[in-house]
Amino acid sequence: MSPHFEAIADGLAEHGYAVIDQFLSQQEVGAILELEELRNTANMKRAGIGNSQSLQVQEGIRGDYINWLDRETSPQPVKVYLTRLDELIAFLNQSLYLSLKDYEAHFTKYPPGTFYKRHLDQFKYDDHRRLSVICYLNPEWKEEEGGALRMYLLDKTLDVLPEAGRLVCFRSDIIEHEVLPATRERLSITGWMLDRLAALKHL
Ligand code: OGA
Ligand code: MN
């Protein structure tokens, strides 16, 4: 079991979010970054807004490219991360009495200058996303490169830089957030823990 699970549960219970460094080690991040087929924009698609019934790409709202990931067919370095998500689900169900059933996750690339405007992750017609979970893959990210995740909390905003190995987990139903533009490519694996089994639509 990852030594970080307890801190994630505590953060969620107390504040509705948690930021954890070294959730993936630098070696584990490095192995994912070596997967050229994952990073190649030609294999990715422009992310949309809303669920599959109302999918539309809106340049002015978000500019990222995504690649949906699947437990069975993902390359080994990605499986290492996805397995840890399954373990985290089991831990959170026990410690916080949640009834998380599954996750959905995609590899994400924001080209320089792109962003994702302020939003909530729960869809209007599909509110099965309970927790948003993002793991960043960008070694030695500098503050002046921009690209922070900005979370809108009750009494403040919190900016989190997308540093390699860092995990951010937050309640999808209440925490509004945005991705600020960066001067450099910004990579992550973005996922959601669901209260039902993931649909097959993405696979
Ligand atoms: C998202 C999102 C945040 C980030 O994909 O819905 O808000 O930091 N991502 O990448
Ligand atoms: Mn989001």
Side-chain angles (χ1 to χ4, degrees), residues 15 17 151-158:
H15 310 292
Y17 73 92
M151 286 190 281
Y152 293 87
L153 306 174
L154 277 181
D155 50 347
K156 60 174 179 182
T157 60
L158 178 66

Side-chain angles (χ1 to χ4, degrees), residues 7-157:
I8 296 171
D10 288 350
L12 287 170
E14 284 170 37
H15 310 292
Y17 73 92
V19 180
I20 304 292
D21 285 337
Q22 307 281 339
F23 186 80
L24 285 183
S25 70
Q26 298 308 301
Q27 290 90 321
E28 287 167 336
V29 170
I32 294 173
L33 292 177
E34 275 172 28
L35 302 168
E36 291 300 331
E37 75 272 22
L38 202 64
R39 301 176 56 173
N40 187 343
T41 309
N43 299 334
M44 308 181 84
K45 59 176 196 158
R46 280 296 310 276
I49 299 157
N51 60 16
S52 56
Q53 280 95 43
S54 61
L55 189 71
Q56 37 182 313
V57 173
Q58 288 180 28
E59 199 94 18
I61 297 180
R62 66 186 294 189
D64 53 326
Y65 289 78
I66 65 171
N67 222 336
W68 285 100
L69 301 170
D70 158 57
R71 267 187 194 79
E72 274 77 44
T73 59
S74 285
Q76 186 58 29
V78 173
K79 267 188 195 158
V80 167
Y81 177 66
L82 297 182
T83 301
R84 210 160 293 166
L85 286 188
D86 274 322
E87 292 166 1
L88 179 57
I89 284 180
F91 184 86
L92 295 177
N93 281 344
Q94 271 202 342
S95 57
L96 300 180
Y97 307 105
L98 301 181
S99 36
L100 304 168
K101 302 264 189 330
D102 204 357
Y103 63 77
E104 53 188 9
H106 56 64
F107 182 79
T108 314
K109 171 152 88 180
Y110 287 83
T114 60
F115 50 82
Y116 192 163
K117 287 271 170 72
R118 182 172 175 169
H119 66 281
L120 260 188
D121 281 348
Q122 274 195 357
F123 296 138
K124 207 169 166 195
Y125 302 111
D126 177 2
D127 66 347
H128 294 281
R129 293 176 166 184
R130 292 285 166 232
L131 298 175
S132 304
V133 189
I134 305 149
C135 191
Y136 299 108
L137 303 170
N138 312 287
E140 295 177 45
W141 192 277
K142 297 182 191 63
E143 192 173 350
E144 61 266 27
E145 292 171 321
L149 165 69
R150 177 166 290 170
M151 286 190 281
Y152 293 87
L153 306 174
L154 277 181
D155 50 347
K156 60 174 179 182
T157 60

